[in-house]
Amino acid sequence: MEQWRIGSAFCRTKLEFRFFVTFELAADKLSLMIGALRIGWVSVWLTMCIAPAFAQQTQEQAFQRLAEYVVSQFYGLQESLVPTPSAGPGCDYSAPGRTHAIVMGAADAGTMKPRMLGGSENSAALVEATLTHIGVAPDRISTLTGQQATRDGLTKALTTLRQNVNCTDTVFLYLTAVMTSTRLLTQQLYGSDEPRDWIEEGADTNATLRAISAASPFILFNITDDRPNDLLSAQALTDIVTDLRNRSAHVTLVLDTAFAGLFDLQERQARRDPRALWSASLSETLPQIMLNSGAGAFSLHYTADAFSYAAQWQLPKGAPDARVYSVFAYKLAAALYADEAPTTASIAREIKKLRFGERTAEYENHQIESTDPGAPIFAELGVVFPAPPEPAPEQPPLTDVIRILSPTPSRSAAPLDTPVLEIKGQVVWPEQTMIVLVDRAQALSRPDGTFSHEIELEPGLNSIEIVALTRDNQQHRKVLEFTFEGDAQALTGTGQRYAILIANQNYGASSGMPSLTTPFADIDAIGEELTGRFGFRTEADLPDGGLLPLVLRDASRSEIETLLFRMSQIAGEKDTVLIYYGGHGIYEQMTDTAFWVPSDAVAGVPPTYLSASSISEALLRLQAGNVLVVSDSCYSGALMRAAPTDGPGADEDRLRALQRLADKRSRVLITSGANEPVADQGGDGHSVFARAFLNGLRQSERDVFSARELFDRDILPFVVGRSGQEPQYRPIARSGHEGGDVVFVAQGG
């Protein structure tokens, strides 16, 4: 039955618009092969099952013939674009980081259906223009469209990139093309109504089909004269990423195609990690390049998950000369334009905020992952963005591309007494306006560049961003500021404020640590001040109606990690979380790592401590908009290393400056000392640091202040004046910090 089932897939009799049958005369026997021939408008599947050679062929022979034909018709099924692993030009850590980019937009699907992919070249051009705008050097961007979006074109671009990338560099890859799979290849060979994936089924017994199945799915290059169906497999794409990561470069890959999640590149990369070598060796069927110990980070942007199509749209909508763009390419460009220091995490949040209505919502199942979501996507951080291109000579200079017609522009944040505001304006630029976003939502716009959009303001300072895309793929930006009920109380926002208070005072003999005397008293007093004066909560509401206590005494490592994880499931983007830890801390010089010491720690066994990396991971999971970690422990200054940041400037309007800090995402650490021991007492029943922290919270003449102001005015001078400690204030590296701060607002202040 199995032999006949395989044979029947090759032998059918029916009428349709094409047929696949050729004859080969070999050893005086007539055998059937899969081929292609067209006759007028009508084609025929020929039944030759009575041919002796075919009727008697085994299942293995049938699959071998299928394998041979698939390989002859579809190029690149197994071929890698990285022929040999290479260490690259060497590593120079003193060299400034640079970004290298490959942007490929392939539109032609060869003989596959659909035949063409509209918008790929426009999307690639938009991404290229955005990369140039944010500071990537044009000579380090390879844009492959048309005759360049081929296997040879990508190979050439990769060869140049591999010769020049340094260990301090980042690599940005954007690929948009038609996606195909073994099932679609089977249907292309047998007919669109073929219900079974014969390539996948043949993988059980045929080595070639097994290798093709393991390498799938695929994206299609543009056709060439000798290659009508040229493919890039998921495995070959993984080889590219692995090779670049092995040069210690941070690689960001954007795969803009339907069903992109099927490529499963995150899992393929995990199987290249030597720590997973044992399990990978059981499943992989082809030779593979492994990740080395110094591999760079990897970030992955799928325009669609494994079950979704990718959306495209025409801009301007309804225009006879409208252009087709990928929706995800436009979102990505808008997010990169708005973010001065993009990371995978910050770009994901920006993309999530963009709203285009129901017509594209069902296709916006984007998937974004990273081994290091806080790492910069582009090496050129802090660059001065170039000005928009000069207009054509016959045009007058344009000093204000986006002109606001209503409300009347103001140099300061205009105060408003109504929460609803209609913004009207016009884009004045030589090229046609394609789309206008107001506050990340699509505005009603017209061919002459005029636009209008109604927004609802929130209490406090509202920064409204307007972004316009013109036909030359340039983005133009303007930011308006308005205050609504802009008093100090508006700084509290609409979210919850949570205080997680952890005090480890009593340590067992196995920890090797002496017990402390003040942590319990410290968190009692600090908790009373935070809840009574500043509206923080020391318990959180659970979905089942219960309460989650946020105060831990003599906590184990498991208890601390569990509480932080549960808070990641509760705190939202508008919420603030303050984490206070009082207890022992230690520093391991060999690994340059600082730890909190839980109550159940075992002396000399780092896995029983809570490391800085574990704390960073917990902060990455937290979705709260603002997080402040206060650590009163020895060596706490070594917990997170990053450059200090400035607070609100003295010359700015203070409330506006504080509102800007509160609106930006923040992950900030205040420590009781640098990489040094700190005192347990000396603060009238509290530690010196806890006393300084309490004094700052109790200053009645200041009802509104930032964590940075609290540190500068109260903590630093008090602690330095009464001890040998040097407290630290700094953003937490690679935890999602975006320049904000926690702002304390006294109730009724």
Side-chain angles (χ1 to χ4, degrees):
M1 290 298 293
E2 185 66 22
Q3 174 183 334
W4 173 251
R5 190 160 58 92
I6 299 298
S8 66
F10 285 85
C11 305
R12 302 182 179 187
T13 301
K14 61 180 297 185
L15 293 178
E16 56 179 55
F17 287 102
R18 66 166 56 180
F19 78 88
F20 294 79
V21 59
T22 63
F23 299 93
E24 181 182 79
L25 194 61
D28 298 325
K29 292 184 178 180
L30 191 63
S31 60
L32 184 66
M33 293 180 62
I34 308 293
L37 184 64
R38 298 172 184 268
I39 300 180
W41 292 101
V42 179
S43 302
V44 183
W45 280 91
L46 210 58
T47 301
M48 293 291 295
C49 292
I50 59 173
F54 187 78
Q56 296 174 9
Q57 75 177 11
T58 65
Q59 170 184 320
E60 290 75 13
Q61 291 172 328
F63 280 133
Q64 180 58 31
R65 290 181 180 278
L66 172 61
E68 292 171 357
Y69 188 72
V70 171
V71 171
S72 71
Q73 293 298 302
F74 299 99
Y75 300 94
L77 290 167
Q78 301 167 252
E79 290 82 357
S80 173
L81 271 67
V82 184
T84 56
S86 170
C91 182
D92 181 4
Y93 285 104
S94 65
R98 304 176 302 174
T99 298
H100 307 264
I102 296 177
V103 179
M104 190 185 84
D108 203 323
T111 62
M112 302 294 292
K113 296 179 180 180
R115 180 74 171 77
M116 300 292 291
L117 176 67
S120 62
E121 295 191 6
N122 295 329
S123 300
L126 175 59
V127 172
E128 178 190 19
T130 302
L131 295 179
T132 303
H133 173 80
I134 66 176
V136 181
D139 61 353
R140 290 198 294 274
I141 303 175
S142 296
T143 301
L144 309 176
T145 56
Q147 295 181 349
Q148 298 299 315
T150 61
R151 174 175 293 273
D152 291 342
L154 182 56
T155 301
K156 181 179 179 180
L158 284 170
T159 300
T160 301
L161 193 157
R162 295 172 78 225
Q163 292 171 346
N164 293 287
V165 69
N166 186 45
C167 56
T168 59
D169 294 346
T170 59
V171 177
F172 185 87
L173 306 175
Y174 173 84
L175 306 178
T176 181
V178 174
M179 170 269 183
T180 191
S181 63
T182 56
R183 173 173 290 280
L184 294 176
L185 295 181
T186 300
Q187 292 179 345
Q188 178 72 7
L189 292 174
Y190 287 85
S192 59
D193 62 342
E194 172 55 51
R196 300 175 66 170
D197 184 348
W198 289 105
I199 297 175
E200 182 67 29
E201 294 193 23
D204 292 337
T205 57
N206 184 274
T208 301
L209 296 180
R210 182 161 57 251
I212 294 172
S213 177
S216 68
F218 314 89
I219 60 175
L220 292 112
F221 293 109
N222 282 351
I223 63 172
T224 59
D225 292 339
D226 58 338
R227 291 181 178 177
N229 295 298
D230 200 0
L231 313 179
L232 176 67
S233 70
Q235 175 143 312
L237 194 52
T238 303
D239 287 344
I240 294 170
V241 172
T242 304
D243 179 69
L244 295 172
R245 290 182 65 192
N246 278 342
R247 300 160 193 268
S248 298
H250 180 169
V251 180
T252 297
L253 170 63
V254 182
L255 193 56
D256 192 354
T257 185
F259 310 108
L262 288 175
F263 283 75
D264 202 18
L265 294 173
Q266 61 276 44
E267 176 61 26
R268 291 176 181 271
Q269 282 291 290
R271 295 203 299 268
R272 304 296 178 95
D273 193 321
R275 291 169 295 183
L277 180 60
W278 181 81
S279 61
S281 66
L282 298 179
S283 58
E284 286 297 313
T285 59
L286 298 176
Q288 55 187 343
I289 304 170
M290 299 301 293
L291 287 167
N292 61 37
S293 58
F298 176 48
S299 299
L300 180 64
H301 299 237
Y302 287 142
T303 187
D305 59 25
F307 309 100
S308 303
Y309 288 96
Q312 295 186 330
W313 58 358
Q314 292 184 334
L315 299 177
K317 181 182 178 182
D321 58 347
R323 287 181 179 175
V324 177
Y325 288 89
S326 154
V327 171
F328 188 80
Y330 178 76
K331 282 188 172 186
L332 178 67
L336 290 175
Y337 189 95
D339 196 334
E340 295 180 358
T343 65
T344 301
S346 65
I347 289 300
R349 286 190 293 273
E350 285 292 331
I351 289 176
K352 184 178 180 180
K353 294 175 184 176
L354 295 169
R355 308 180 300 275
F356 300 137
E358 295 182 359
R359 62 194 179 109
T360 62
E362 65 177 297
Y363 303 110
E364 298 180 68
N365 299 313
H366 314 313
Q367 182 177 335
I368 299 177
E369 301 187 35
S370 179
T371 62
D372 190 350
I377 294 178
F378 303 102
E380 298 86 349
L381 295 180
V383 298
V384 177
F385 288 173
E390 294 292 333
E394 66 273 10
Q395 298 289 337
L398 297 176
T399 58
D400 192 7
V401 177
I402 300 178
R403 300 179 182 178
I404 303 303
L405 307 177
S406 175
T408 303
S410 171
R411 291 190 176 184
S412 61
L416 300 173
D417 55 6
T418 176
V420 179
L421 173 68
E422 184 179 24
I423 296 178
K424 296 181 179 180
Q426 184 173 14
V427 181
V428 182
W429 190 252
E431 298 286 346
Q432 183 183 17
T433 300
M434 309 289 280
I435 187 175
V436 178
L437 297 184
V438 177
D439 197 25
R440 300 184 178 89
Q442 185 174 357
L444 176 64
S445 58
R446 299 173 180 84
D448 62 357
T450 58
F451 64 89
S452 62
H453 189 71
E454 190 175 89
I455 61 172
E456 187 170 344
L457 302 175
E458 295 184 352
L461 182 69
N462 291 259
S463 294
I464 309 301
E465 181 183 57
I466 303 173
V467 178
L469 174 68
T470 49
R471 183 169 283 273
D472 53 357
N473 288 320
Q474 296 298 316
Q475 294 192 63
H476 313 276
R477 179 174 179 264
K478 179 186 284 289
V479 176
L480 307 177
E481 290 187 337
F482 304 95
T483 58
F484 171 59
E485 297 180 359
D487 58 8
Q489 191 61 37
L491 283 165
T492 58
T494 58
Q496 297 286 343
R497 299 192 154 214
Y498 299 105
I500 297 176
L501 307 175
I502 305 168
N504 284 349
Q505 182 165 302
N506 301 303
Y507 287 86
S510 63
S511 69
M513 296 287 180
S515 293
L516 302 172
T517 58
T518 64
F520 287 175
D522 293 344
I523 66 166
D524 286 342
I526 291 170
E528 182 179 353
E529 203 66 33
L530 290 173
T531 57
R533 187 167 184 229
F534 296 99
F536 281 80
R537 299 182 60 190
T538 55
E539 56 186 15
D541 297 321
L542 294 172
D544 61 4
L547 293 175
L548 174 66
L550 304 182
V551 179
L552 297 178
R553 301 175 190 270
D554 291 339
S556 66
R557 172 175 175 167
S558 175
E559 289 173 328
I560 297 173
E561 290 187 314
T562 299
L563 178 57
L564 294 178
F565 175 75
R566 297 188 73 180
M567 275 305 298
S568 71
Q569 299 176 306
I570 295 173
E573 293 182 356
K574 296 184 180 297
D575 297 335
T576 296
V577 176
L578 184 151
I579 303 170
Y580 185 98
Y581 171 79
H584 278 301
I586 63 172
Y587 172 71
E588 185 179 57
Q589 187 171 5
M590 180 182 298
T591 60
D592 190 30
T593 302
F595 302 86
W596 286 347
V597 182
S599 63
D600 61 345
V602 178
V605 183
T608 65
Y609 307 149
L610 192 61
S611 68
S613 61
S614 296
I615 299 169
S616 293
E617 290 172 5
L619 297 183
L620 281 172
R621 293 189 190 98
L622 279 175
Q623 298 302 307
N626 299 97
V627 178
L628 173 63
V629 179
V630 183
S631 181
D632 186 6
S633 64
C634 294
Y635 306 105
S636 55
L639 281 170
M640 316 290 176
R641 302 189 183 278
T645 186
D646 295 328
D651 295 332
E652 296 182 80
D653 175 79
R654 192 162 171 276
L655 282 182
R656 284 181 61 193
L658 289 173
Q659 183 68 59
R660 289 195 182 100
L661 289 175
D663 286 346
K664 289 184 178 180
R665 187 178 175 89
S666 65
R667 299 292 186 269
V668 173
L669 172 71
I670 296 178
T671 68
S672 56
N675 192 10
E676 61 193 3
V678 299
D680 177 37
Q681 301 182 28
D684 300 325
H686 299 285
S687 72
V688 173
F689 176 81
R691 170 55 65 189
F693 191 73
L694 278 168
N695 289 347
L697 295 178
R698 290 170 176 170
Q699 290 294 328
S700 59
E701 65 271 18
R702 290 206 319 272
D703 291 329
V704 183
F705 51 88
S706 68
R708 180 58 187 262
E709 290 177 321
L710 173 68
F711 175 82
D712 288 340
R713 299 180 185 181
D714 301 293
I715 296 176
L716 182 62
F718 186 93
V719 174
V720 171
R722 295 200 178 190
S723 71
Q725 302 166 209
E726 185 177 352
Q728 305 285 309
Y729 171 98
R730 63 186 69 210
I732 300 173
R734 296 189 175 181
S735 63
H737 181 74
E738 296 177 6
D741 201 356
V742 170
V743 176
F744 293 85
V745 182
Q747 299 298 292

